[in-house]
Amino acid sequence: MTAPAEDIRTAPEPLLVELLTLAHRRLSTGLSAALAEEDCTVDQWRVLRALADGRGHPMGELAQTLLIPQASLSRLVDALADHGWVYRRQGDQDRRRITAHLSRQGRTRLTRLDALAAAHDASVRRACGGLTDPGQLLRRLAAL
């Protein structure tokens, strides 16, 4: 009787969701470190950016747009308001409708944060060597 041949398997090709998850984590970790220089989180920066259009946004809309649970968004906006970077305004016709707005201080802060984010983005793009194929780009990002 002969011994069975060894079952040697190669690792399966990563699925798109795996590549996206790894790329997201790598990018977020780097951006988080860059924004920490200004004592800011990625989600706080995202809220400030969403409010930069000057229109004011209802909290529910903001939560949906940013894919942040409403309770978490409320805590984020509370913290940003405590620092004077955003403010809330009640609706004129419906006092229950609350919109969040970027303050002048918030706009100044966002300018600094965007500069840090842009520097991080440029660094990542350089590390990816100008790849344009989405599969190659995700593999490179996942490996950073």
Side-chain angles (χ1 to χ4, degrees), residues 54-77:
R55 294 182 315 157
H57 293 270
M59 297 295 285
E61 172 192 302
L62 205 52
Q64 269 188 321
T65 300
L66 298 175
L67 298 175
I68 296 173
Q70 188 138 3
S72 298
L73 178 69
S74 291
R75 285 190 296 274
L76 282 168
V77 171

Side-chain angles (χ1 to χ4, degrees), residues 35 38 40 45 48 108-118:
L35 294 176
E38 287 287 326
C40 183
W45 171 72
L48 295 174
T108 300
R109 179 171 173 76
L110 181 57
T111 299
R112 289 192 312 268
L113 297 172
D114 277 346
L116 291 171

Side-chain angles (χ1 to χ4, degrees), residues 38-49:
E38 287 287 326
D39 195 29
C40 183
T41 67
V42 172
D43 280 341
Q44 287 174 331
W45 171 72
R46 292 179 63 227
V47 169
L48 295 174
R49 284 180 60 87

Side-chain angles (χ1 to χ4, degrees), residues 11-31:
E13 186 69 23
L15 298 173
L16 180 59
V17 69
E18 292 174 290
L19 292 173
L20 284 169
T21 300
L22 287 171
H24 173 262
R25 288 182 181 166
R26 300 264 192 240
L27 289 170
S28 292
T29 298
L31 181 58

Side-chain angles (χ1 to χ4, degrees), residues 114-127:
D114 277 346
L116 291 171
H120 174 261
D121 187 73
S123 172
V124 168
R125 289 175 187 271
R126 279 191 304 276

